[in-house]
Amino acid sequence: MADIVLAASGVTRDFDVSRPWLQRILAREPRRTLRAVDGVSFAIPRGTTLSLVGESGCGKSTVARLAVGLYAPSAGDISFEGQALSSARAQPALRRKMNMIFQDPYASLNPRWRVRDIVAEPIRAFALLRSEKDIADRVAQLLTQVGLAGADGEKFPHEFSGGQRQRISIARALSSEPDFLVCDEPTSALDVSVQAQILNLMRDLQQRFGLTYLFISHNLAVVRHMSDRLGVMYLGRIVELGDGETLFRAARHPYLRLLLEAIPDLAMVGRARTPVGGEVPSPIDPPPGCPFHPRCPLANDRCRAEKPAHVVADGVEIACHAVEEGRA
Amino acid sequence: MALLDVENLTIEFPTRRGTLRAIDGVSFAIDPGEVLGVVGESGAGKSLTGAAIIGLLEPPGRVAGGRIMLDGKRIDDLSQERMRAIRGRQIGAIFQDPLTTLNPLYSIGRQLVETIQTHLGLSDRDARARAIKWLEDVGIPAARQRIDAYPHEFSGGMRQRVVIALALCAEPRLLIADEPTTALDVSIQAQIIALLKRITREHGTAVMLVTHDMGVIAETADRVAVMYAGRIAEIGPVRDVVKTPAHPYSEGLMGSIPSLEHRVERLRQIDGAMPRLTAIPAGCAFNPRCPAVFDRCRTERPELLPAGATRAACWLHAGGR
Amino acid sequence: MQALARFLDSDFLYSFRRNPVAVVSALVLAICIGGAVLAPLLAPYNPFDLASLSLMDSFRPPAFIADGDASHVIGTDDQGRDLLSAIMYGTRVSIFVAALAIAFALTLGTAIGLVAGYLGGAVDAVLMRIADVQLTFPAILIALLVDGILRAALPREFHDRMEIWVLIFAIGIARWPQFARTVRGSTLVERGREYVMAAQVIGLSSRRIMTSHILPNVLGPVLVIATLNLGLAVLDEATLSFLGVGLAPTEPSLGTLIRIGNNFLFSGEWWITIFPGVTLAAMVLSINLLGDWLRDALNPRLR
């Protein structure tokens, strides 16, 4: 059996989006919940990258936060290194094995802290090193590993460009010597040439330290570049999950196929294309049956009434009646 | 004759530590019905150029040199008043965030009718009929019913459609679209791009499309200008700039974009970052990051030179080293 | 040295020097505070020294009008105190009370705001409703109430001895909700930022996140409110003293001086109330103008 670092099974997360108590009582409204993540299952083998891709509101960032224990699941289980995530999080020795890289390089570093203190924070929190001299040496080493100069530790975050800040963020994530990194849209705020630097750096670090990534992105091209396995999310559910290359070469779920069709690409100079119609429905009030049916060209009565279950075919998990019935 | 002719445009920001030159000698032209894509990374000056053309430069920024001609008439030295009349009637604008363009207090119908009446002088009835037609045109379902709805009642994608209708309803001859799809989801983005393309072609509107997304440019633009540190690095037909870029910066930029078509082990990367305005290198601004740099690049600034089908500001095209 | 050089070159100082209102306000305030702090050295007389007072000297008009006496530049009050000295000493008392009261309100309000904003839920709801209820009453009413309760609760003699501390406590209690609300608002914003999430991922305690991550980032607006409230606290103290529940006339604050003078305003001895009044107004106005400038200078969007 493969060595699984993180596994989720049937994970669901609800948020209470009711209005404040008093207003709710006065208006006689019931509580309202938003199901951001709905029965998501996946496993990430050691040293590989699982990417989750989808449009805004699909729940991918919620999954990222569930995976590092920032949120607790409303239902389902997450396990880390074979233990329940909550008990793994309670042990510093295991907790330091996971860390996170964030989307916004301007918000993810405390503006009042010097870079050396930002990078050293996990080292101090887990007491990995005791003497200030050792910590300073380690911080300089980490900064060099991500392509900055050791002396940059003296500066404040605002003295750096977006790409450099993301490097600092990566150095901080690496400082607890993790095995597993959750990367929540790490390059979506960066310019393309800088994005390439960061993606290359992340790949290098993965090879060097045997890191396992959960990589969250809305950009299919970035995802293709980064992932071993790929999950496509729509309205809180993973609609297609499988080997990345297989999915890109032979996408089967109508949503992924339409997405691939819709994305502007350099290779498409001057070509016309058919965009996906409609918009993502509100997760507060999702359509019945398959959540994609209002936009799906293959939808029939069954799709409008019945939520499709996950079916495994050729190593790819798909939740689609049309695929299951051979209509796609 | 070109519809828009920007000549040697220079934009400066006076600060307490001296004057910063954000745009430095930018020249380009757009023909009627043509789509010019302007790409570059943040801080390259692409949005500033757009803002200068529509006369919406934020102070203390100012046009310090060059001129902007619309249809043979100079517009960069007009009064606020005259410029306001030109904005909307002759130049339409679309910005990244539809909410900055739409007034949240008025129904979309009222905003459309007002714009149509101000610029085209139609009667109430005709203007309203025209507004409904525009909403249908940009793909708002049930336009007749939704015309009296307020901006917040629309989703992000629908709002951007309304903004497009608002920008084009006075039938301007030039449209400045600044990152019109950046805030939208990919599937919506494709719809908006297709819409923009169709509508501007139908009306023969010239478009200056400012974006950082090369994919969008590749699919939409006829010609493309690549900007770097306040100057145009390369300008030419989109196919040539994308497939066979002549400037090392455009080449690096294209190579750094991950592709959907195939997977590579490593992306091409341009090391370093674009210089800050306070520290633009001497010679070619790209020289510290350039893989093909030689002595001349460090001392002498290149102007746009013919380079195959495009023009590139690079000494490699000055007839050998 | 390096920090000083950085400060001298900062945008903050630059924006100060470019704003004449701020510069003049700072100057007026510096004179008020300087005069108050250095009163024992600068003041011609010691008005708190009861032995030196003589009723013979009472109601002397200012030196610049007829019957004036050069030894009392702006005249004397009903007790024969030199008014200039009384104002300098009185300002000293007023600033002392206001500064400590605001320091107290700031500490209490910031702590409550941090906890409410970071923990949220029921804690937040309870703390903020208390603040809301208190905000519906004018601060001066709260201070009067607190002062009254303490007057009744504490033994008379003890209360008299602790009078100034009671005043500080009363004004401080009356002014915490504004700090709490502001800090809570900023905390809500900061709590959602990714650097806080980064600290949560490595498992830092809530207390540590609040104090070392969030607190330094919410202090900007607190500073502005503290400045604006300092002016209000000076007024609170003056009002309470004017109403007679503040400090004793033996060691008069500005408010006490104004109250005393008010009795003689219509009998021709206008200077006893006007000069302390003008001092108070100038000081509060310059604090407020300085606070306004500070708010703009710290707001990056207005730069």
Side-chain angles (χ1 to χ4, degrees), chain A residues 64-108:
Chain A
R65 289 167 193 190
L66 284 162
V68 286
L70 287 177
Y71 296 152
S74 308
D77 301 297
I78 305 176
S79 68
F80 179 69
E81 303 280 10
Q83 296 196 33
L85 182 63
S86 53
S87 81
R89 295 270 309 159
Q91 308 162 42
L94 273 180
R95 189 169 68 229
R96 78 172 174 84
K97 292 286 180 192
M98 61 176 79
N99 219 328
M100 189 160 176
I101 302 169
F102 299 89
Q103 170 176 7
D104 182 353
Y106 292 87
S108 60

Short mmCIF file of all heavy atoms in Angstrom, two decimals, chain A residues 64-108:
data_model
loop_
_atom_site.label_atom_id
_atom_site.label_comp_id
_atom_site.label_asym_id
_atom_site.label_seq_id
_atom_site.Cartn_x
_atom_site.Cartn_y
_atom_site.Cartn_z
N ALA A 64 -8.43 23.43 1.69
CA ALA A 64 -7.05 23.73 2.12
C ALA A 64 -7.01 23.98 3.63
O ALA A 64 -6.13 23.48 4.33
CB ALA A 64 -6.54 24.95 1.37
N ARG A 65 -7.98 24.73 4.11
CA ARG A 65 -7.97 25.05 5.54
C ARG A 65 -8.37 23.86 6.39
O ARG A 65 -7.89 23.70 7.51
CB ARG A 65 -8.90 26.24 5.80
CG ARG A 65 -8.26 27.49 5.24
CD ARG A 65 -9.19 28.64 5.15
NE ARG A 65 -8.57 29.68 4.31
CZ ARG A 65 -9.04 30.90 4.18
NH1 ARG A 65 -10.14 31.24 4.82
NH2 ARG A 65 -8.43 31.76 3.42
N LEU A 66 -9.24 23.02 5.85
CA LEU A 66 -9.57 21.78 6.56
C LEU A 66 -8.33 20.90 6.68
O LEU A 66 -8.09 20.27 7.71
CB LEU A 66 -10.67 21.02 5.81
CG LEU A 66 -12.10 21.57 5.93
CD1 LEU A 66 -12.96 21.01 4.81
CD2 LEU A 66 -12.70 21.22 7.28
N ALA A 67 -7.52 20.88 5.63
CA ALA A 67 -6.38 19.96 5.58
C ALA A 67 -5.30 20.30 6.60
O ALA A 67 -4.53 19.43 7.00
CB ALA A 67 -5.78 19.95 4.17
N VAL A 68 -5.22 21.58 7.02
CA VAL A 68 -4.24 21.91 8.05
C VAL A 68 -4.91 22.13 9.40
O VAL A 68 -4.28 22.60 10.34
CB VAL A 68 -3.41 23.17 7.70
CG1 VAL A 68 -2.40 22.86 6.62
CG2 VAL A 68 -4.31 24.32 7.30
N GLY A 69 -6.20 21.82 9.49
CA GLY A 69 -6.87 21.89 10.78
C GLY A 69 -7.31 23.29 11.18
O GLY A 69 -7.65 23.51 12.35
N LEU A 70 -7.30 24.26 10.26
CA LEU A 70 -7.81 25.59 10.61
C LEU A 70 -9.32 25.54 10.79
O LEU A 70 -9.89 26.29 11.58
CB LEU A 70 -7.46 26.61 9.53
CG LEU A 70 -6.00 27.06 9.46
CD1 LEU A 70 -5.78 28.01 8.30
CD2 LEU A 70 -5.58 27.73 10.76
N TYR A 71 -9.98 24.66 10.04
CA TYR A 71 -11.40 24.39 10.24
C TYR A 71 -11.52 22.92 10.64
O TYR A 71 -10.72 22.10 10.24
CB TYR A 71 -12.21 24.58 8.96
CG TYR A 71 -12.26 25.96 8.39
CD1 TYR A 71 -12.43 26.13 7.02
CD2 TYR A 71 -12.16 27.09 9.19
CE1 TYR A 71 -12.50 27.40 6.46
CE2 TYR A 71 -12.22 28.35 8.64
CZ TYR A 71 -12.39 28.51 7.28
OH TYR A 71 -12.45 29.74 6.72
N ALA A 72 -12.57 22.63 11.41
CA ALA A 72 -12.87 21.23 11.70
C ALA A 72 -13.97 20.79 10.75
O ALA A 72 -14.87 21.57 10.45
CB ALA A 72 -13.32 21.09 13.15
N PRO A 73 -13.90 19.55 10.23
CA PRO A 73 -14.98 19.10 9.34
C PRO A 73 -16.31 18.98 10.07
O PRO A 73 -16.32 18.64 11.26
CB PRO A 73 -14.50 17.73 8.86
CG PRO A 73 -13.21 17.44 9.53
CD PRO A 73 -12.88 18.55 10.46
N SER A 74 -17.42 19.29 9.38
CA SER A 74 -18.73 19.08 9.98
C SER A 74 -19.08 17.60 9.95
O SER A 74 -19.81 17.10 10.78
CB SER A 74 -19.79 19.87 9.21
OG SER A 74 -19.42 21.21 9.09
N ALA A 75 -18.57 16.90 8.95
CA ALA A 75 -18.75 15.45 8.87
C ALA A 75 -17.57 14.88 8.10
O ALA A 75 -16.91 15.59 7.35
CB ALA A 75 -20.07 15.11 8.15
N GLY A 76 -17.32 13.57 8.28
CA GLY A 76 -16.22 12.93 7.57
C GLY A 76 -14.92 12.99 8.37
O GLY A 76 -14.87 13.60 9.45
N ASP A 77 -13.89 12.33 7.84
CA ASP A 77 -12.63 12.23 8.58
C ASP A 77 -11.47 12.68 7.72
O ASP A 77 -11.44 12.45 6.52
CB ASP A 77 -12.38 10.76 8.98
CG ASP A 77 -13.50 10.24 9.85
OD1 ASP A 77 -13.68 10.79 10.94
OD2 ASP A 77 -14.22 9.31 9.40
N ILE A 78 -10.51 13.29 8.39
CA ILE A 78 -9.24 13.60 7.74
C ILE A 78 -8.15 12.94 8.58
O ILE A 78 -8.18 13.04 9.81
CB ILE A 78 -8.97 15.12 7.68
CG1 ILE A 78 -10.15 15.83 7.02
CG2 ILE A 78 -7.68 15.42 6.94
CD1 ILE A 78 -10.02 17.34 7.01
N SER A 79 -7.22 12.27 7.92
CA SER A 79 -6.13 11.69 8.69
C SER A 79 -4.80 12.18 8.14
O SER A 79 -4.66 12.43 6.94
CB SER A 79 -6.19 10.16 8.66
OG SER A 79 -5.91 9.70 7.38
N PHE A 80 -3.84 12.36 9.05
CA PHE A 80 -2.51 12.83 8.68
C PHE A 80 -1.50 11.84 9.22
O PHE A 80 -1.52 11.51 10.40
CB PHE A 80 -2.29 14.22 9.28
CG PHE A 80 -0.93 14.79 8.98
CD1 PHE A 80 -0.58 15.18 7.69
CD2 PHE A 80 0.02 14.95 9.99
CE1 PHE A 80 0.66 15.70 7.41
CE2 PHE A 80 1.27 15.47 9.71
CZ PHE A 80 1.59 15.85 8.42
N GLU A 81 -0.65 11.32 8.37
CA GLU A 81 0.33 10.30 8.76
C GLU A 81 -0.35 9.16 9.52
O GLU A 81 0.16 8.67 10.53
CB GLU A 81 1.43 10.92 9.64
CG GLU A 81 2.19 12.07 9.00
CD GLU A 81 3.28 11.63 8.01
OE1 GLU A 81 3.34 10.44 7.68
OE2 GLU A 81 4.06 12.50 7.56
N GLY A 82 -1.53 8.77 9.05
CA GLY A 82 -2.21 7.63 9.65
C GLY A 82 -2.97 7.91 10.93
O GLY A 82 -3.60 7.02 11.48
N GLN A 83 -2.90 9.15 11.43
CA GLN A 83 -3.64 9.48 12.65
C GLN A 83 -4.75 10.48 12.32
O GLN A 83 -4.63 11.24 11.36
CB GLN A 83 -2.71 10.13 13.68
CG GLN A 83 -1.63 9.23 14.16
CD GLN A 83 -0.99 9.77 15.41
OE1 GLN A 83 -1.65 10.40 16.23
NE2 GLN A 83 0.30 9.54 15.56
N ALA A 84 -5.78 10.50 13.17
CA ALA A 84 -6.82 11.50 12.98
C ALA A 84 -6.16 12.87 13.04
O ALA A 84 -5.29 13.11 13.89
CB ALA A 84 -7.88 11.37 14.07
N LEU A 85 -6.58 13.79 12.15
CA LEU A 85 -5.91 15.08 12.05
C LEU A 85 -5.92 15.83 13.38
O LEU A 85 -4.91 16.43 13.78
CB LEU A 85 -6.56 15.94 10.96
CG LEU A 85 -5.93 17.30 10.71
CD1 LEU A 85 -4.50 17.18 10.24
CD2 LEU A 85 -6.74 18.12 9.71
N SER A 86 -7.06 15.76 14.09
CA SER A 86 -7.14 16.53 15.34
C SER A 86 -6.13 16.03 16.37
O SER A 86 -5.51 16.82 17.08
CB SER A 86 -8.56 16.49 15.91
OG SER A 86 -8.96 15.14 16.03
N SER A 87 -5.92 14.70 16.41
CA SER A 87 -4.94 14.22 17.39
C SER A 87 -3.52 14.46 16.89
O SER A 87 -2.61 14.72 17.68
CB SER A 87 -5.18 12.74 17.73
OG SER A 87 -4.64 11.90 16.74
N ALA A 88 -3.33 14.43 15.56
CA ALA A 88 -2.01 14.76 15.02
C ALA A 88 -1.66 16.21 15.32
O ALA A 88 -0.53 16.56 15.65
CB ALA A 88 -1.97 14.52 13.51
N ARG A 89 -2.66 17.09 15.22
CA ARG A 89 -2.45 18.51 15.48
C ARG A 89 -2.13 18.77 16.94
O ARG A 89 -1.54 19.80 17.28
CB ARG A 89 -3.69 19.33 15.10
CG ARG A 89 -4.03 19.32 13.64
CD ARG A 89 -3.37 20.43 12.87
NE ARG A 89 -3.54 21.75 13.42
CZ ARG A 89 -2.74 22.76 13.15
NH1 ARG A 89 -1.71 22.58 12.35
NH2 ARG A 89 -2.94 23.95 13.68
N ALA A 90 -2.57 17.87 17.81
CA ALA A 90 -2.32 18.07 19.24
C ALA A 90 -0.89 17.73 19.62
O ALA A 90 -0.43 18.06 20.70
CB ALA A 90 -3.31 17.24 20.05
N GLN A 91 -0.16 17.03 18.73
CA GLN A 91 1.23 16.68 19.03
C GLN A 91 2.18 17.60 18.25
O GLN A 91 2.21 17.55 17.03
CB GLN A 91 1.51 15.23 18.62
CG GLN A 91 0.52 14.22 19.17
CD GLN A 91 0.56 12.91 18.40
OE1 GLN A 91 1.64 12.43 18.06
NE2 GLN A 91 -0.60 12.36 18.12
N PRO A 92 2.94 18.41 18.96
CA PRO A 92 3.86 19.33 18.25
C PRO A 92 4.75 18.61 17.25
O PRO A 92 5.01 19.14 16.17
CB PRO A 92 4.68 19.94 19.39
CG PRO A 92 3.79 19.85 20.58
CD PRO A 92 2.97 18.60 20.41
N ALA A 93 5.19 17.40 17.58
CA ALA A 93 6.11 16.69 16.68
C ALA A 93 5.46 16.38 15.34
O ALA A 93 6.13 16.33 14.31
CB ALA A 93 6.60 15.41 17.34
N LEU A 94 4.16 16.16 15.34
CA LEU A 94 3.45 15.92 14.08
C LEU A 94 2.95 17.21 13.46
O LEU A 94 2.93 17.37 12.25
CB LEU A 94 2.25 14.97 14.32
CG LEU A 94 2.55 13.48 14.25
CD1 LEU A 94 1.27 12.68 14.50
CD2 LEU A 94 3.12 13.10 12.88
N ARG A 95 2.54 18.15 14.35
CA ARG A 95 1.98 19.40 13.84
C ARG A 95 3.02 20.14 13.00
O ARG A 95 2.71 20.76 12.00
CB ARG A 95 1.52 20.28 15.02
CG ARG A 95 0.76 21.50 14.57
CD ARG A 95 0.09 22.20 15.74
NE ARG A 95 1.05 22.80 16.64
CZ ARG A 95 1.04 22.65 17.95
NH1 ARG A 95 0.11 21.91 18.53
NH2 ARG A 95 1.95 23.23 18.70
N ARG A 96 4.29 20.06 13.41
CA ARG A 96 5.30 20.80 12.67
C ARG A 96 5.57 20.18 11.30
O ARG A 96 6.23 20.77 10.46
CB ARG A 96 6.60 20.91 13.47
CG ARG A 96 7.45 19.67 13.47
CD ARG A 96 8.78 19.96 14.12
NE ARG A 96 9.57 18.76 14.25
CZ ARG A 96 10.33 18.26 13.26
NH1 ARG A 96 10.39 18.89 12.11
NH2 ARG A 96 11.01 17.16 13.44
N LYS A 97 5.04 18.97 11.08
CA LYS A 97 5.24 18.31 9.80
C LYS A 97 4.32 18.87 8.72
O LYS A 97 4.37 18.44 7.57
CB LYS A 97 4.99 16.80 9.93
CG LYS A 97 6.04 16.10 10.79
CD LYS A 97 7.31 15.97 10.02
CE LYS A 97 8.39 15.28 10.84
NZ LYS A 97 9.70 15.43 10.18
N MET A 98 3.39 19.76 9.10
CA MET A 98 2.52 20.36 8.09
C MET A 98 2.63 21.87 8.17
O MET A 98 2.83 22.44 9.23
CB MET A 98 1.07 19.92 8.31
CG MET A 98 0.49 20.34 9.65
SD MET A 98 -1.25 19.92 9.80
CE MET A 98 -1.13 18.21 10.18
N ASN A 99 2.57 22.51 7.02
CA ASN A 99 2.58 23.97 7.01
C ASN A 99 1.87 24.45 5.76
O ASN A 99 1.42 23.64 4.93
CB ASN A 99 4.01 24.51 7.10
CG ASN A 99 4.07 25.74 7.98
OD1 ASN A 99 3.12 26.52 8.05
ND2 ASN A 99 5.19 25.91 8.66
N MET A 100 1.79 25.76 5.62
CA MET A 100 0.93 26.30 4.57
C MET A 100 1.58 27.49 3.88
O MET A 100 2.29 28.27 4.52
CB MET A 100 -0.39 26.71 5.22
CG MET A 100 -1.48 27.08 4.27
SD MET A 100 -3.09 26.96 5.09
CE MET A 100 -4.15 27.57 3.78
N ILE A 101 1.32 27.63 2.59
CA ILE A 101 1.74 28.81 1.82
C ILE A 101 0.48 29.48 1.30
O ILE A 101 -0.43 28.80 0.84
CB ILE A 101 2.64 28.41 0.63
CG1 ILE A 101 3.86 27.65 1.14
CG2 ILE A 101 3.07 29.63 -0.15
CD1 ILE A 101 4.64 26.99 0.02
N PHE A 102 0.45 30.82 1.41
CA PHE A 102 -0.81 31.50 1.15
C PHE A 102 -0.81 32.25 -0.16
O PHE A 102 0.19 32.37 -0.85
CB PHE A 102 -1.09 32.48 2.30
CG PHE A 102 -1.21 31.80 3.61
CD1 PHE A 102 -0.08 31.59 4.40
CD2 PHE A 102 -2.43 31.35 4.07
CE1 PHE A 102 -0.19 30.96 5.62
CE2 PHE A 102 -2.54 30.72 5.29
CZ PHE A 102 -1.41 30.51 6.06
N GLN A 103 -2.00 32.78 -0.48
CA GLN A 103 -2.21 33.42 -1.77
C GLN A 103 -1.63 34.83 -1.84
O GLN A 103 -0.96 35.18 -2.80
CB GLN A 103 -3.72 33.49 -2.04
CG GLN A 103 -4.07 34.35 -3.24
CD GLN A 103 -5.54 34.31 -3.56
OE1 GLN A 103 -6.34 33.74 -2.83
NE2 GLN A 103 -5.91 34.91 -4.66
N ASP A 104 -1.92 35.63 -0.81
CA ASP A 104 -1.64 37.06 -0.92
C ASP A 104 -0.32 37.39 -0.26
O ASP A 104 -0.21 37.43 0.95
CB ASP A 104 -2.79 37.82 -0.24
CG ASP A 104 -2.61 39.33 -0.36
OD1 ASP A 104 -1.54 39.75 -0.85
OD2 ASP A 104 -3.51 40.06 0.03
N PRO A 105 0.72 37.64 -1.07
CA PRO A 105 2.04 37.89 -0.48
C PRO A 105 2.06 39.17 0.35
O PRO A 105 3.01 39.40 1.08
CB PRO A 105 2.96 38.00 -1.69
CG PRO A 105 2.08 38.29 -2.84
CD PRO A 105 0.73 37.75 -2.53
N TYR A 106 1.02 40.01 0.22
CA TYR A 106 1.00 41.24 1.00
C TYR A 106 0.33 41.05 2.35
O TYR A 106 0.56 41.81 3.26
CB TYR A 106 0.33 42.37 0.20
CG TYR A 106 1.19 42.73 -0.97
CD1 TYR A 106 1.08 42.05 -2.18
CD2 TYR A 106 2.17 43.70 -0.85
CE1 TYR A 106 1.92 42.33 -3.24
CE2 TYR A 106 3.01 44.00 -1.90
CZ TYR A 106 2.89 43.31 -3.09
OH TYR A 106 3.73 43.58 -4.12
N ALA A 107 -0.52 40.05 2.47
CA ALA A 107 -1.25 39.84 3.73
C ALA A 107 -0.66 38.69 4.53
O ALA A 107 -0.98 38.53 5.70
CB ALA A 107 -2.73 39.57 3.44
N SER A 108 0.20 37.89 3.91
CA SER A 108 0.61 36.68 4.62
C SER A 108 1.85 36.89 5.49
O SER A 108 2.26 35.98 6.20
CB SER A 108 0.84 35.54 3.62
OG SER A 108 1.84 35.89 2.71
#
